[in-house]
Amino acid sequence: MDAPAIYRIALDVMGGDNAPVALLEGARAALQAHPELFLHLVGDEDRLRPLLAHTGLKGELASRFAIVHAASVVDMDDKATSILKEKKDSSIRVAAQLVREGKADGVVSMGHTGAAMVASKMVLGTLSGVDRPCLAAILPNMQGRPTVLLDVGANIDCRPDQIAQFAIMGSIYAEGVLGIPGPRVGVLSVGEEEGKGSTTTREAAEALKDIDLNFAGNAEGRDIWNGKFDVIACDGFVGNALLKSAEALAEGLVQGMKGVFKENLLTKLAALLTLNGLKRFAARLDYAEYGGAPLLGVKGVSIIGHGRSNAKAVHSAIRAALMASEHRVNDQIQASLGRLMSQAGSQETS
Amino acid sequence: MDAPAIYRIALDVMGGDNAPVALLEGARAALQAHPELFLHLVGDEDRLRPLLAHTGLKGELASRFAIVHAASVVDMDDKATSILKEKKDSSIRVAAQLVREGKADGVVSMGHTGAAMVASKMVLGTLSGVDRPCLAAILPNMQGRPTVLLDVGANIDCRPDQIAQFAIMGSIYAEGVLGIPGPRVGVLSVGEEEGKGSTTTREAAEALKDIDLNFAGNAEGRDIWNGKFDVIACDGFVGNALLKSAEALAEGLVQGMKGVFKENLLTKLAALLTLNGLKRFAARLDYAEYGGAPLLGVKGVSIIGHGRSNAKAVHSAIRAALMASEHRVNDQIQASLGRLMSQAGSQETS
């Protein structure tokens, strides 16, 4: 008599530009799509309760969510570390606390990225065998598939073995959550050829060659977008710069195109004529499909979404947290990194 | 009785995807636009001579260029270091040699980037006071102006003082060649706030605060595109990854848009209706406007263009070499870095 599998996700309903409504709408969509989901909606109870019916959180869904009160929210002006002192009662901290206490399997937040990282690292703690948790961006590539780029900002100066760990964690996530069988894993470098790169990346690549992983060698900046790799590992400094550059460039190009279409009546007609094609192209590149960046290597699942997330992105982020829980991504990470460490240990002693 | 100022640029006519015709056409346009220019056209004389009249290199222009024979070309499959041994007679090496021998002020190449870098570094040598030459990408930002990103691949692991030197060289180039008065200079980091970043970038920023430069603090990845900075310095690993990522992302987005316009008759009509606007937008972002990446810090001027350069990009690259010569960019670099070193020296001894 198997117990029905229920996975419990704590959603910080107060974080993000469109909070709380887009968060509640995303929650509703996720509950409807995933019968195995239970949601803790963490936020200001007085503010949330009147919005529930309005956002469809009613009827038979009512038994599958609960409001957990949190008195404050981390604002964009607050420091990431404010959750440790001034804002202990913030929604992101309370949500993380639910995971720590075993009341939830994962936490999802669209609020202050730094605060969500601090909450996940300090409240949840680091998985055994993991040297440093890292943030993975799930980027849409030109093949219409996701490329996992990690670390994108949790760690600045990284050692080779840490970058190798990022690659392993990214590979497990890509397979378990994104459904990519045998993900092709690369280390970001400045040339495809073996031996190119910095001392750090060469050693990271060397460490990955001998382990049970589909290691495909050095990746270059262009490979983030062409679909040649499924997972690309780098230090958090490079990853953060790449992510912010790409966001700004893509947004600038899209804004420029929109400007062209708005010039006059004829160009507005042109916009109408291309609308379907533009929508299809945009859908292939829609980050909302993937919902958020997992912070990998912490105890419990943590998905950190973009502040601008809409309901669809919230739903996708919750789905990602659910799948990471179901596929036991953390158990796999612990097992893989444990094997790696025992290999390294036996090599050292042999 | 001032002697008329004549600047002599050695053009590797054999390098690049569109060589030699686009190179010769660009040469002709540059000669027509700049009466102070003399060009050494370096390449296979037998192949070039029949193309001269065809590309307009005739008539009164004939007194302002000369063919300098080079027996071979560095192919894309060759190693960058092939110019030191197997391909000593290659067009890029012969062109660099002209600068070394004082017969030319600068060298321009659209061929093998690595070979052009090796030729410039090994044949020309490094300017006194410069620790390491660096490659600067001139990128079109969303304000329709150039942003100088450097280093984009000449150096992999960099010290803070080297990144500070890149910033100074980039600032001098931006002012002298791109005509930006008092360029706003930043060090690439992972947050705007002072103190954010790696140990290396924090120290580089610290070094730049006290010198005669319009230092505007930490830049982030997004600032490459928003026009907030004119010059952004980083190590060559990060810069190379950023450049290759941006090229691939922009190309992917443009290809995707082209695909949308080609879908059917109505979308082809839409393309026609937006043609002028698209052209204006594309012109703002046209890298051909800036022509190539200067390798800063070598003795003599070296401009390295994209392999895909068309005649316009060749013309722009020659113009950049001409302006760097006219504005004595190298003298300024030597003077600035000399001052910096003597300051550092007096601080150490005080």
Side-chain angles (χ1 to χ4, degrees):
Chain A
M1 52 173 211
D2 278 355
I6 294 288
Y7 298 96
R8 305 144 308 159
I9 307 298
L11 177 66
D12 168 9
V13 198
M14 307 306 284
D17 303 351
N18 307 313
V21 172
L23 279 286
L24 294 173
E25 288 173 349
R28 191 248 305 142
L31 286 168
Q32 284 173 334
H34 306 285
E36 73 277 33
L37 173 66
F38 183 92
L39 279 179
H40 293 289
L41 306 175
V42 185
D44 181 347
E45 183 157 14
D46 289 345
R47 214 175 139 203
L48 295 177
R49 203 155 288 284
L51 293 168
L52 292 180
H54 171 70
T55 51
L57 287 160
K58 57 183 179 183
E60 54 177 2
L61 296 183
S63 64
R64 289 172 44 221
F65 69 85
I67 293 182
V68 177
H69 181 67
S72 71
V73 189
V74 180
D75 298 314
M76 284 306 148
D77 301 335
D78 288 326
K79 285 197 168 178
T81 49
S82 64
I83 62 139
L84 301 175
K85 283 197 265 181
E86 307 89 339
K87 297 220 165 166
K88 280 187 181 172
D89 57 359
S90 59
S91 50
I92 178 60
R93 167 115 197 211
V94 172
Q97 203 71 34
L98 290 173
V99 179
R100 186 193 175 100
E101 291 165 3
K103 294 176 184 158
D105 303 296
V107 51
V108 171
S109 170
M110 311 285 154
H112 191 299
T113 302
M117 283 207 282
V118 172
S120 304
K121 285 202 264 189
M122 307 297 278
V123 177
L124 304 188
T126 303
L127 275 179
S128 135
V130 171
D131 204 82
R132 293 211 216 156
C134 71
L135 192 64
I138 318 295
L139 301 168
N141 66 39
M142 298 302 157
Q143 309 298 326
R145 295 196 314 261
T147 301
V148 179
L149 178 70
L150 73 179
D151 176 29
V152 294
N155 308 285
I156 301 308
D157 297 299
C158 295
R159 295 194 315 260
D161 59 311
Q162 290 164 341
I163 293 177
Q165 284 202 350
F166 302 162
I168 295 167
M169 292 193 279
S171 175
I172 292 168
Y173 190 85
E175 185 141 20
V177 177
L178 304 174
I180 303 168
R184 290 152 304 163
V185 176
V187 168
L188 187 77
S189 185
V190 292
E192 290 173 7
E193 305 84 355
E194 202 181 318
K196 287 251 180 178
S198 68
T199 323
T200 306
T201 65
R202 282 200 305 268
E203 284 182 29
E206 201 54 45
L208 288 169
K209 267 166 46 182
D210 301 325
I211 62 173
D212 181 22
L213 188 86
N214 188 2
F215 183 59
N218 281 349
E220 293 192 274
R222 66 172 68 96
D223 298 323
I224 301 168
W225 309 108
N226 61 19
K228 210 172 133 191
F229 290 82
D230 302 302
V231 177
I232 298 179
C234 59
D235 75 51
F237 185 98
V238 184
N240 185 272
L242 282 166
L243 183 65
K244 286 180 178 163
S245 163
E247 281 179 352
L249 176 58
E251 197 182 308
L253 291 173
V254 168
Q255 289 301 329
M257 280 302 304
K258 281 189 181 166
V260 168
F261 280 128
K262 281 183 187 157
E263 274 178 12
N264 55 46
L265 274 175
L266 289 176
T267 58
K268 282 177 190 168
L269 171 63
L272 279 177
L273 296 175
T274 47
L275 200 60
N276 282 329
L278 288 174
K279 277 190 182 164
R280 271 197 304 277
F281 179 54
R284 265 172 53 198
L285 301 177
D286 188 5
Y287 78 97
E289 196 63 48
Y290 310 119
L295 185 75
L296 298 174
V298 292
K299 286 182 195 154
V301 170
S302 172
I303 307 284
I304 303 176
H306 206 291
R308 277 183 280 173
S309 293
N310 54 19
K312 182 182 175 191
V314 172
H315 175 183
S316 301
I318 296 170
R319 186 181 60 222
L322 190 62
M323 292 187 69
S325 305
E326 283 184 3
H327 288 267
R328 309 186 75 80
V329 159
N330 281 350
D331 290 352
Q332 291 185 55
I333 288 175
Q334 255 181 331
S336 277
L337 295 184
R339 268 200 305 277
L340 190 64
M341 277 170 51
S342 68
Q343 274 176 19
S346 65
Q347 276 169 11
E348 271 169 32
T349 52
S350 68
Chain B
M1 54 172 208
D2 278 354
I6 294 289
Y7 298 95
R8 306 144 310 160
I9 307 298
L11 178 66
D12 168 10
V13 198
M14 308 306 284
D17 303 350
N18 307 311
V21 172
L23 279 286
L24 294 173
E25 287 173 349
R28 191 248 304 140
L31 286 167
Q32 284 173 333
H34 306 284
E36 73 276 33
L37 174 66
F38 183 92
L39 279 179
H40 293 289
L41 307 174
V42 184
D44 181 347
E45 184 157 11
D46 289 345
R47 210 174 141 202
L48 295 177
R49 205 157 286 285
L51 293 169
L52 293 180
H54 170 71
T55 51
L57 287 160
K58 59 184 178 182
E60 55 178 1
L61 295 183
S63 64
R64 290 174 42 223
F65 68 85
I67 293 181
V68 177
H69 181 66
S72 70
V73 189
V74 180
D75 298 315
M76 283 305 147
D77 301 335
D78 288 326
K79 285 197 168 179
T81 48
S82 65
I83 62 141
L84 302 175
K85 283 198 265 181
E86 308 89 340
K87 297 222 164 163
K88 281 187 182 175
D89 57 359
S90 59
S91 51
I92 178 60
R93 165 116 199 209
V94 172
Q97 203 71 34
L98 290 173
V99 179
R100 184 191 176 101
E101 292 165 3
K103 293 175 185 160
D105 302 296
V107 52
V108 171
S109 170
M110 311 285 154
H112 192 299
T113 302
M117 283 208 283
V118 172
S120 304
K121 286 202 264 189
M122 306 298 279
V123 178
L124 305 187
T126 303
L127 275 179
S128 134
V130 172
D131 203 84
R132 293 213 217 154
C134 71
L135 192 64
I138 318 295
L139 301 167
N141 67 39
M142 298 301 157
Q143 310 298 326
R145 294 196 315 262
T147 301
V148 180
L149 178 71
L150 73 179
D151 176 29
V152 294
N155 309 285
I156 299 310
D157 296 299
C158 295
R159 295 195 315 261
D161 58 310
Q162 291 164 339
I163 292 176
Q165 284 202 350
F166 302 162
I168 294 167
M169 293 194 278
S171 176
I172 292 168
Y173 189 86
E175 185 140 20
V177 177
L178 304 174
I180 302 168
R184 289 153 304 165
V185 176
V187 168
L188 186 78
S189 184
V190 292
E192 289 173 8
E193 306 84 356
E194 203 181 318
K196 287 251 180 179
S198 68
T199 323
T200 306
T201 64
R202 282 200 306 268
E203 284 182 29
E206 201 54 44
L208 288 168
K209 266 167 46 183
D210 300 326
I211 62 173
D212 182 20
L213 189 87
N214 188 3
F215 182 59
N218 281 349
E220 293 192 273
R222 65 173 69 98
D223 297 323
I224 301 169
W225 309 107
N226 60 20
K228 210 172 132 191
F229 290 82
D230 302 301
V231 176
I232 298 178
C234 60
D235 74 50
F237 184 97
V238 183
N240 185 272
L242 282 166
L243 183 65
K244 286 180 178 163
S245 163
E247 281 179 352
L249 176 58
E251 198 182 308
L253 291 174
V254 168
Q255 289 301 330
M257 281 301 305
K258 282 189 181 167
V260 168
F261 280 127
K262 282 183 187 156
E263 274 178 12
N264 55 46
L265 274 176
L266 289 177
T267 59
K268 283 179 190 167
L269 171 63
L272 279 177
L273 296 176
T274 47
L275 200 60
N276 283 328
L278 288 174
K279 275 188 184 165
R280 272 196 305 276
F281 180 55
R284 267 174 52 198
L285 300 178
D286 188 6
Y287 78 96
E289 197 62 47
Y290 309 118
L295 185 75
L296 298 174
V298 293
K299 286 181 193 156
V301 170
S302 172
I303 307 284
I304 303 176
H306 207 289
R308 277 182 280 174
S309 292
N310 55 19
K312 182 183 174 191
V314 173
H315 175 184
S316 300
I318 296 169
R319 185 181 62 221
L322 190 62
M323 291 187 70
S325 305
E326 282 184 5
H327 288 268
R328 309 186 75 78
V329 159
N330 281 352
D331 290 353
Q332 290 183 57
I333 287 175
Q334 255 180 330
S336 277
L337 296 185
R339 269 201 305 278
L340 190 64
M341 277 168 52
S342 68
Q343 274 176 19
S346 65
Q347 277 171 8
E348 273 169 31
T349 53
S350 68

